[in-house]
Amino acid sequence: MNVDKLVAADHRQDWRKFAEVMFKLEDADPGYMLLKRAELDTATKMRYVLAWCTYYNPGAAAVACQFQGAKFYEYLRRVFPSAKRASERRHFRGQAGQKALMQWQDLYPKPEAMIEATHGTSYLQVRKNMQHMAQMGDYFYWKLADIWDTVFDEVVDFTGCEKYMPKVPQQGADMIADLEAPEGQHPEGLVDTMNVVTAVVRGIPYPVKGGRKLALQEAETVCCVFKQHVVGDYRYGFRSAKAWKRLNGVEGKPAAALREGLLAGGIWTPETLEEVGRHL
């Protein structure tokens, strides 16, 4: 793999090629890939997911998921002041964040039970199940529905849910609609755009889906990451390299299993991930 060439690749004018390359590299949602393939029991994976929802930091989540019950929440509170947060969780701070952790523990002393409580056979059902959960808004409603569908193999129906897509994917969809315009194919609105994107991704292989065709939830990911690519925040491999960076050096069985899960697709090696990481 020529990492410099890969990172330099520019597909800002070709979203179809962008989607193809991103999925081929398993860089669309590496967090799903590594968790799906990690040799961990389901309860540990669920604790990882809940901890991931706090700081969106795989390293912190890999440590937290080793603890059960009150010790799980104690760890999250202990690292609350200093935990590195991804942009998706930049607001999980201060009194609001602390109150959220308190509410979660009060309602779900067994942390994996909180993830179990989100389960639904449709996005709308998952969304409804999460309404009472503090600091869990639109982004995480979509995220948990996607995790159930991809990581835990519980099929979730996203049909008709385009309007619930988070802000960045909707912005990416607008960019894709603009690119379609020169060919006289400019979609009329978000639903039409997502139909175009979904039709394209349905033909892209994605091993962790167990043979199922990709659908709206993966089309949403294309729009999200394409927007980041257009504005210069994403290059191929960045998502996998960020996950590796957070997990690398973290001790414990979960972190080791998650690192192995990231490498299990045969796309990346520690060396190539480190090399991509130097471009972050």
Side-chain angles (χ1 to χ4, degrees):
M1 178 184 291
N2 186 327
V3 170
D4 288 335
K5 184 177 179 180
L6 182 70
V7 172
D10 184 350
H11 289 133
R12 288 175 292 177
Q13 297 299 315
D14 188 349
W15 69 268
R16 289 173 172 82
K17 184 65 175 178
F18 172 83
E20 177 188 341
V21 174
M22 181 178 64
F23 278 106
K24 183 177 181 180
L25 292 170
E26 298 189 352
D27 203 42
D29 277 304
Y32 299 170
M33 290 286 188
L34 62 86
L35 187 57
K36 169 93 171 192
R37 290 169 168 162
E39 294 186 6
L40 297 169
D41 62 80
T42 300
T44 300
K45 288 186 177 185
M46 287 185 173
R47 292 194 298 273
Y48 174 88
V49 170
L50 183 55
W52 195 22
C53 289
T54 56
Y55 312 122
Y56 221 54
N57 181 328
V63 176
C65 72
Q66 299 177 89
F67 301 111
Q68 300 185 36
K71 290 184 178 180
F72 171 87
Y73 293 107
E74 288 170 7
Y75 170 78
L76 292 176
R77 277 194 287 271
R78 186 165 70 250
V79 301
F80 187 90
S82 59
K84 292 183 179 179
R85 292 155 170 82
S87 60
E88 293 86 349
R89 264 315 197 197
R90 60 190 178 278
H91 300 306
F92 197 82
R93 300 178 185 277
Q95 197 172 51
Q98 292 279 16
K99 284 184 175 180
L101 287 176
M102 289 175 62
Q103 188 226 39
W104 297 358
Q105 185 172 7
D106 287 343
L107 293 175
Y108 303 101
K110 184 179 177 183
E112 53 267 37
M114 181 166 167
I115 300 303
E116 291 171 346
T118 69
H119 178 259
T121 57
S122 69
Y123 164 78
L124 292 177
Q125 188 175 349
V126 173
R127 181 185 179 90
K128 181 180 179 180
N129 292 344
M130 295 179 67
Q131 292 293 308
H132 66 284
M133 298 175 180
Q135 293 287 301
M136 290 287 203
D138 288 345
Y139 181 88
F140 285 95
Y141 300 155
W142 193 282
K143 181 62 62 176
L144 265 295
D146 211 356
I147 287 172
W148 276 112
D149 185 75
T150 303
V151 175
F152 295 121
D153 286 327
E154 298 280 349
V155 177
V156 177
D157 185 5
F158 283 78
T159 303
C161 293
E162 291 86 353
K163 69 178 181 180
Y164 296 106
M165 287 166 44
K167 179 180 177 180
V168 172
Q170 292 201 34
Q171 293 171 339
D174 287 342
M175 293 175 173
I176 287 173
D178 289 340
L179 288 176
E180 294 293 286
E183 300 177 15
Q185 302 174 29
H186 198 295
E188 292 298 320
L190 179 62
V191 172
D192 287 341
T193 301
M194 296 313 298
N195 285 340
V196 171
V197 180
T198 301
V200 170
V201 301
R202 280 181 63 81
I204 298 176
Y206 198 37
V208 295
K209 295 290 280 196
R212 287 187 286 141
K213 298 289 187 181
L214 303 193
L216 176 61
Q217 53 270 42
E218 287 81 30
E220 181 264 358
T221 300
V222 170
C223 294
C224 177
V225 189
F226 183 69
K227 193 256 183 177
Q228 295 170 353
H229 183 60
V230 169
V231 301
D233 292 337
Y234 171 81
R235 294 288 180 175
Y236 294 121
F238 272 20
R239 289 188 149 201
S240 297
K242 285 180 181 178
W244 179 260
K245 182 178 180 180
R246 292 288 191 221
L247 289 166
N248 204 19
V250 177
E251 297 181 356
K253 177 184 174 181
L258 292 162
R259 287 192 293 269
E260 287 301 313
L262 187 57
L263 302 176
I267 307 295
W268 302 103
T269 66
E271 292 74 22
T272 54
L273 288 168
E274 292 284 350
E275 195 172 346
V276 172
R278 287 194 281 272
H279 293 270
L280 291 173

